[in-house]
Amino acid sequence: MSFNDDHPHNRRVAIRKIAATATAVVSAPALLIQSPQHHCGAAESTSSPAINATSSLESMVGITCGGGLGRQRERGELDLFSVPKYVHEELGMRLIDLNTRWTTPYSEKELAKARETAERTGCYFSNLKVNYNVGNMYSDDAAERRQAVQEARSQVDAAKTLGTRWIRFTIPQQHADAPVAHIELAQYAHEQGLKLLVENGGWMKSHPGAISSVVKAIGGYAAACPDTGNWDDDLRAEGLRKSFVGAESCDFKVFELGKNHQHAEYDLKQCFDLGWNAGFRGPWIIEHMKDATENFARDTVYIRELLQKWIAKRNG
């Protein structure tokens, strides 16, 4: 997932227009991947057991709303209220990993309605990634620090309303060894029934042990969420090997596939194997970086089926 300091209030007018409408309608060589048996349409029906904050997500495959889905939101093709139906009917998935570009500045009532819409569709919002700068929670200025903490807590509250089990904030490198503010934030999140996820964004991509060390520093109310793409190429394998241990989720990042389904950026199967060998069993949350809407669903279904094939083979 990309990290961005873009503040949500700059988009207030545009998102409000979407909300009104929605509420009314309520480092490796290129890898040639063998195609699984392909079929379009939903992999799971809405009659499947409902997913909630306590459901096991083992072996499940979902999708983030960054990457290509984010581009579709920017073009006005999808919004918070329509994405569950698209994910379920076009991509065959039920887990949706949100970020704040989709959720702010909706009101608590609108977020609750979005949750109802997702649940009615058979989907579940699993995570909220805070993709803007909430302020300096480590500021020497008490007022500035207090304002930043309040802003961060407001996103925890939003995640609770959406029904997620996780929320992700960035961790400043200079405070990674003693993330006092994030420890307090994790405690607040825990009180709301959520856990903080630590993802390798920004400075962490060059530090393969950063995720595990930050999770340890925050304590029991935090967990790892490795992104398979956000690494320096020569550190990817080491970073994944270390950060998949004890992880609760992951961003399985896939860049645009070639015409024969090759993935030139790095070896997808190696990423999967590193996770599995470290004891990670899911959920595997696809972040598909294909910008164009054309063939996005087709290629995402291919990736989903590929992961399901690998999982089934490992499960024997």
Side-chain angles (χ1 to χ4, degrees), residues 134-138 149 152 167-173 175-176 178-190 196-198 214 217-219 221-222:
V134 299
N136 186 2
M137 295 193 296
Y138 296 87
V149 169
I167 186 167
R168 189 270 280 148
F169 293 89
T170 58
I171 313 291
Q173 184 175 8
H175 299 290
V180 177
H182 284 81
I183 293 172
E184 295 173 354
L185 186 61
Q187 174 65 44
Y188 179 76
H190 172 71
L196 258 62
L197 288 184
V198 179
V214 170
I218 294 176
Y221 301 143

Side-chain angles (χ1 to χ4, degrees), residues 211 224-228 238-252 270-281 283-284:
I211 291 181
C225 178
D227 183 314
T228 58
E238 181 185 359
L240 292 177
R241 191 176 295 111
K242 291 180 176 180
S243 57
F244 263 123
V245 176
E248 293 196 7
S249 186
C250 83
D251 277 12
F252 196 81
Q270 181 190 44
C271 293
F272 172 83
D273 287 338
L274 286 167
W276 193 276
N277 292 341
F280 181 73
R281 297 294 181 268
W284 307 84

Side-chain angles (χ1 to χ4, degrees), residues 40-276:
C40 291
E44 302 178 33
S45 71
T46 52
S47 61
S48 300
I51 308 171
N52 57 43
T54 61
S55 302
S56 171
L57 304 182
E58 183 173 314
S59 298
M60 292 196 70
V61 180
I63 191 162
T64 75
C65 285
L69 281 186
R71 302 292 85 75
Q72 293 184 49
R73 179 195 60 80
E74 292 171 1
R75 292 190 292 265
E77 298 165 6
L78 291 172
D79 60 41
L80 181 62
F81 296 87
S82 61
V83 73
K85 181 178 180 181
Y86 177 83
V87 167
H88 187 267
E89 294 185 359
E90 301 298 326
L91 307 183
M93 291 181 275
R94 301 171 66 199
L95 289 183
I96 302 173
D97 200 71
L98 291 171
N99 64 63
T100 48
R101 296 187 185 95
W102 292 77
T103 61
T104 52
Y106 286 130
S107 68
E108 181 180 0
K109 183 177 180 180
E110 290 166 330
L111 294 179
K113 183 174 287 292
R115 175 181 178 177
E116 292 171 4
T117 300
E119 292 175 349
R120 189 163 52 248
T121 311
C123 291
Y124 170 62
F125 295 137
S126 53
N127 183 26
L128 178 62
K129 300 184 179 187
V130 180
N131 276 4
Y132 71 97
N133 185 3
V134 299
N136 186 2
M137 295 193 296
Y138 296 87
S139 174
D140 292 332
D141 182 274
E144 181 182 9
R145 185 172 63 252
R146 185 166 52 251
Q147 182 177 0
V149 169
Q150 289 175 347
E151 182 66 23
R153 287 189 173 198
S154 74
Q155 291 306 319
V156 174
D157 296 340
K160 179 182 178 180
T161 300
L162 289 162
T164 78
R165 65 178 62 185
W166 299 302
I167 186 167
R168 189 270 280 148
F169 293 89
T170 58
I171 313 291
Q173 184 175 8
Q174 62 269 36
H175 299 290
D177 292 335
V180 177
H182 284 81
I183 293 172
E184 295 173 354
L185 186 61
Q187 174 65 44
Y188 179 76
H190 172 71
E191 293 167 0
Q192 311 309 313
L194 289 90
K195 182 178 280 191
L196 258 62
L197 288 184
V198 179
E199 183 184 341
N200 48 306
W203 65 273
M204 289 189 183
K205 66 185 295 185
S206 301
H207 296 77
I211 291 181
S212 57
S213 65
V214 170
V215 168
K216 183 177 180 180
I218 294 176
Y221 301 143
C225 178
D227 183 314
T228 58
N230 283 354
W231 300 100
D232 291 346
D233 288 340
D234 60 334
L235 298 176
R236 177 171 290 105
E238 181 185 359
L240 292 177
R241 191 176 295 111
K242 291 180 176 180
S243 57
F244 263 123
V245 176
E248 293 196 7
S249 186
C250 83
D251 277 12
F252 196 81
K253 183 168 285 178
V254 181
F255 292 88
E256 188 156 357
L257 300 175
K259 63 180 181 180
N260 293 316
H261 296 124
Q262 68 269 26
H263 189 253
E265 282 75 10
Y266 46 84
D267 189 331
L268 296 177
K269 182 61 161 55
Q270 181 190 44
C271 293
F272 172 83
D273 287 338
L274 286 167
W276 193 276

Side-chain angles (χ1 to χ4, degrees), residues 15-36:
I15 295 178
R16 284 294 182 188
K17 290 180 179 178
I18 292 174
T21 302
T23 304
V25 295
V26 186
S27 48
L31 177 66
L32 183 62
I33 306 170
Q34 182 179 359
S35 175

